[in-house]
């Protein structure tokens, strides 16, 4: 296999001062990329800020002979997103790779979840991706080249107690990506998502110790490097990654059944009668757009 290299590529990694983002930034630099190490330097709940986190990663990259620049803006504002992308353009003249990674948690079950906790989690994860991806894609389109990675989560894809705000934001990213994939098909721009699980300060209180020991950020970085590479031609996919396990996951549509001919009234009893077929995932597959879903009622148009 040819080596995955990022010579002459510029990678922006948000939240790269710690955890998963730090391991991506170090690996991008080792493989020849010039890296924008963005980090607000906040606590895991998004409070506070410090330049230390980003500065230390930049120092580590530079002392190993790599190229990196720090940025301390929050991803949660439009101005922050623009400034992060501008940092890449000003320092290195390009923005070829964007890893939307910055994240926080404010966990509570719904009745205890405050509006502020909902809003700040949305602002960092979902709006943060909007704030970064919009200016980054503008730069990528000009060069007809780009790779974008979104950080979703099994919490959003499959659910988890006490994380409704985080789950909604992480699943929202999938919808955001799906549409951007369609809007960028004519460019050499590939957008994919990961759903990682790894030891970090975010998971130190939730992962049982034996798993915390085993699941390293360095298990996630190879998937991010691959999706960010020029060789990667996939777009619009979501990959679970943890501890060396890599698996595609997807929103799928099953074949289902057409009841009636489009003119008759369908009753709840008809639904009940066909329930096993309707809920079956037999033959389920991902769709490339909502347009493809209209194909399922094509037989009605022929009548
Ligand atoms: P972490 O807490 O170790 O690192 C997150 C970094 O993001 C921190 O350095 C923090 O300062 C930075 N950050 C927070 N808010 C920011 C903002 N507004 N602007 C810029 N930087 C900001 O967390 P970890 O585990 O490395 O998480 C990275 C991403 O992976 C997050 O999006 C998280 O939701 C996601 N994730 C992590 C999982 C895990 O198992 N660690 C599981 C599923 C998803």
């Amino acid at each position: 296999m040819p080596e995955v290299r990022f010579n002459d590529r510029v990678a922006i990694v948000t939240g790269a001062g710690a955890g998963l983002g730090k391991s991506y930034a170090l690996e991008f630099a080792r493989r020849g990329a010039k890296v924008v190490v963005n980090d607000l330097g906040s606590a895991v709940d998004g409070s506070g800020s410090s330049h230390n986190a980003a500065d230390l990663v930049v120092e580590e990259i530079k002392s190993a002979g790599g190229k990196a620049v720090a940025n301390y803006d929050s991803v949660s504002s439009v101005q922050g997103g623009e400034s992060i992308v501008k940092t890449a353009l000003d320092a290195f003249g390009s923005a070829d790779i964007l890893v939307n990674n910055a994240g926080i948690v404010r966990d509570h079950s719904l009745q205890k979840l405050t509006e502020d906790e909902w809003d700040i989690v949305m602002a960092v994860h979902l709006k943060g991706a909007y704030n970064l991806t919009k200016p980054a894609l503008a730069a990528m389109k000009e060069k007809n080249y780009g790779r974008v990675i979104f950080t979703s989560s099994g919490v959003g894809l499959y659910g988890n107690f006490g994380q409704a705000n985080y789950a909604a934001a992480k699943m929202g990213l999938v919808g955001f990506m799906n549409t951007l994939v369609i809007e960028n098909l004519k460019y050499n721009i590939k957008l994919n998502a990961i759903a990682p699980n790894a030891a970090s300060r975010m998971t130190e209180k939730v992962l049982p110790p034996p798993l915390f020991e085993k699941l390293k950020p360095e298990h996630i970085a190879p998937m991010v490097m691959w999706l960010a590479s020029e060789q990667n031609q996939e777009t619009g996919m979501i990959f679970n990654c943890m501890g060396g396990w890599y698996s595609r996951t997807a929103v799928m549509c099953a074949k289902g059944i057409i009841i009636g001919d489009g003119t008759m009234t369908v009753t709840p009893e008809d639904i009940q009668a066909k329930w096993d077929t309707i809920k079956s995932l037999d033959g389920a597959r991902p769709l490339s757009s909502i347009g493809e879903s209209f194909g399922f009622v094509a037989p009605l148009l022929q009548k």
Side-chain angles (χ1 to χ4, degrees), residues 22 44 66 132 153 160 162 165 182 185 191 193 199-200 208 219-220 231 234 257 260 266 271 293 296 299:
K22 177 180 176 181
V44 75
L132 265 292
S153 168
N160 195 32
N165 51 353
I182 294 166
L185 281 176
L191 306 101
S200 74
H219 290 121
I220 316 300
Q231 291 100 314
E234 305 291 0
I257 186 173
V266 178
I271 303 285
S293 72
F296 288 92

Side-chain angles (χ1 to χ4, degrees), residues 9-302:
R9 295 286 182 213
V10 178
I12 299 170
V13 184
T14 67
L20 277 55
K22 177 180 176 181
S23 77
Y24 309 156
L26 296 176
E27 193 58 27
F28 273 128
R30 268 185 222 115
R31 289 174 179 268
K34 297 165 194 144
V35 187
V36 175
V37 176
N38 158 262
D39 205 291
L40 178 64
S42 71
V44 75
D45 68 356
S47 60
S49 64
S50 154
H51 288 193
N52 268 354
D55 283 345
L56 288 173
V57 174
V58 169
E59 266 171 42
E60 192 171 337
I61 289 173
K62 284 186 172 168
S63 62
K67 292 196 174 68
V69 63
N71 173 289
Y72 317 109
D73 286 302
S74 171
V75 299
S76 65
S77 74
V78 166
Q79 295 85 340
E82 285 170 352
S83 159
I84 296 164
V85 173
K86 189 169 181 297
T87 299
L89 299 176
D90 289 351
F92 302 128
S94 190
D96 307 302
I97 296 162
L98 168 64
V99 185
N100 284 304
N101 167 78
I104 62 163
V105 280
R106 294 277 178 107
D107 295 347
H108 273 131
S109 57
L110 186 60
Q111 297 309 325
K112 293 180 190 148
L113 187 68
T114 65
E115 186 180 357
D116 283 350
E117 289 167 338
W118 174 272
D119 286 345
I120 192 173
V121 165
M122 287 293 161
V124 174
H125 291 279
L126 189 52
K127 183 145 184 253
Y130 162 81
N131 295 332
L132 265 292
T133 309
K134 190 173 175 184
L137 279 177
M140 289 172 183
K141 278 181 184 177
E142 274 189 28
K143 283 185 69 182
N144 189 32
Y145 185 85
R147 298 288 182 268
V148 180
I149 291 112
F150 297 96
T151 308
S152 185
S153 168
V155 170
L157 296 164
Y158 316 121
N160 195 32
F161 188 93
Q163 293 195 288
N165 51 353
Y166 183 82
K170 289 303 199 187
M171 199 59 191
L173 288 169
V174 172
F176 184 52
M177 173 184 78
N178 288 342
T179 287
L180 299 186
V181 164
I182 294 166
E183 290 178 3
N184 288 281
L185 281 176
K186 66 177 175 188
Y187 302 101
N188 183 9
I189 295 175
K190 312 292 177 194
L191 306 101
N192 291 282
I194 57 163
N197 274 302
S200 74
R201 63 182 194 171
M202 191 181 274
T203 49
E204 65 191 344
K205 292 198 184 101
V206 287
L207 280 179
L211 274 179
F212 195 82
E213 293 298 311
K214 289 260 185 246
L215 308 183
K216 303 288 182 204
E218 289 71 26
H219 290 121
I220 316 300
M223 176 59 84
V224 171
M225 296 304 119
W226 171 250
L227 294 174
S229 73
E230 197 169 336
Q231 291 100 314
N232 168 44
Q233 294 301 306
E234 305 291 0
T235 192
M237 294 196 181
I238 314 164
F239 297 96
N240 292 302
C241 329
M242 72 167 126
W245 174 60
Y246 308 98
S247 138
R248 185 177 173 195
T249 188
V251 176
M252 312 244 275
C253 182
K255 187 164 175 282
I257 186 173
I258 296 176
I259 302 174
D261 62 3
T263 58
M264 65 168 259
T265 306
V266 178
T267 67
E269 290 74 20
D270 294 328
I271 303 285
Q272 185 182 24
K274 299 295 182 193
W275 190 239
D276 284 347
T277 309
I278 292 170
K279 75 174 185 183
S280 167
L281 282 173
D282 282 354
R285 60 184 169 83
L287 304 184
S288 59
S289 73
I290 186 174
E292 200 180 340
S293 72
F294 295 120
F296 288 92
V297 290
L300 296 179
L301 303 176
Q302 286 151 18

